[in-house]
Amino acid sequence: MSRRPVAAWKWGALVAGVVFVSSASASIGDRLPEFKECVKVCIQSNCASSTPPSIPLQRRLLLWDCPSECDYTCQHLTTEERLSRDPPYLHPIVQFHGKWPFYRFLGMQEPFSVIFSLLNYLAHSWGMAKLREMVPASYPLRKYYMGFGYFGLASWIFSMIFHTRDFRVTEKLDYFAAGASVLYGMYYAAVRIFRLDERTPRKRSVLRAWTVMCALLYTAHVMYLTLWSWDYTYNMAANVACGIVQNIMWSWFSVMRYKKLQRTWAAWPGLIVAWLIMAMSLELLDFPPWGGMIDAHSLWHLGTVVPTIWWYNFLIKDAQQDIQGTRLKA
């Protein structure tokens, strides 16, 4: 499982992430003497020779080199050796470098996390196309909803990159994109719920202050992680706080909206939040990857695809209802 925060309003996995961080930073596999010895011998035998072993092109393109090949190979050799011991329950599969020993595919470290991140990207892309088609450009909230989509696209792009190859730089880009998406989720939730888009002097002043505050919060967040401390616990806690705030707002909005309209779709935000909280159990019940490829974190990514599509459907229905109500008042 990765230590990555989840984008937008999908804060549930972040709670599990706080618990996970402490174990991820010092995995059992990293400390196993047999693993250390395997890596040492492999590097001495192969990487230090004048003719190191050939690495397939698709892996070289993803920056797999001789030492990283040794690390990958020794993870699986160590895992297979442990599983062959009796009794097997005393020698379970363990994590290396904060991750399960996945079987890579075409050089991708966590192929199903990449695939399911792609599905989330496509869900955002589909939702944005539907917004453009069904909500007029003149609707003042459309630009904020499109912003939600763009932040979502960026978050899942960097998620795919990070799960393809876990480097320090890809981890940082993934964290920063996800953090921006989470914070923007809180930002536009307040804009919609409190109608900060309305063109009154008071609302404009509040919107400017809210925009500046969120921008400063994100800047301070990135600067702290970059210049002061790359702190996993703090990063998770910050994202959890933003996620909880927006989920409370959307749940309250859902109840109020349903009471007013008596339409099932008005309750969708609360139902989507409930869906995501239940899906959080996939992170809390973390388990070694099935077939060496599908783990709880990748299934969590899969579990967010339907809520994303559902969410765009809500935004469209809410916008259409708002537009209709405005016309009736006029």
Side-chain angles (χ1 to χ4, degrees), residues 220-265:
H221 176 72
V222 171
M223 291 183 66
Y224 175 81
L225 290 174
T226 304
L227 303 177
W228 185 259
S229 173
W230 185 253
D231 188 331
Y232 291 112
T233 303
Y234 156 74
N235 183 67
M236 289 291 180
N239 281 278
V240 167
C242 289
I244 289 176
V245 168
Q246 62 188 283
N247 275 356
I248 290 173
M249 286 195 294
W250 281 120
S251 297
W252 172 81
F253 175 78
S254 179
V255 172
M256 296 299 102
R257 197 74 169 151
Y258 179 76
K259 286 182 178 180
K260 179 179 179 181
L261 300 176
Q262 294 296 305
R263 303 271 184 89
T264 301
W265 63 263

Side-chain angles (χ1 to χ4, degrees), residues 294-312:
I294 300 179
D295 71 328
H297 187 74
S298 64
L299 289 177
W300 161 253
H301 282 340
L302 178 62
T304 59
V305 176
V306 171
T308 299
I309 296 172
W310 193 2
W311 188 257
Y312 278 102

Side-chain angles (χ1 to χ4, degrees), residues 156-174:
W156 291 112
I157 286 173
F158 287 113
S159 173
M160 286 186 279
I161 293 172
F162 174 59
H163 289 300
T164 296
R165 285 293 274 131
D166 179 1
F167 294 116
R168 191 68 166 175
V169 64
T170 60
E171 180 184 47
K172 286 185 175 182
L173 290 172
D174 180 57

Side-chain angles (χ1 to χ4, degrees), residues 19 50-51 77-78 91 136 161 192 202 208 210-211 218 225 233 236 255-256 316:
V19 178
S50 57
T51 56
L77 289 175
T78 302
H91 309 282
I161 293 172
R192 167 59 189 97
R202 184 171 179 273
R208 280 194 296 269
W210 178 235
T211 302
Y218 182 69
L225 290 174
T233 303
M236 289 291 180
V255 172
M256 296 299 102
I316 291 169

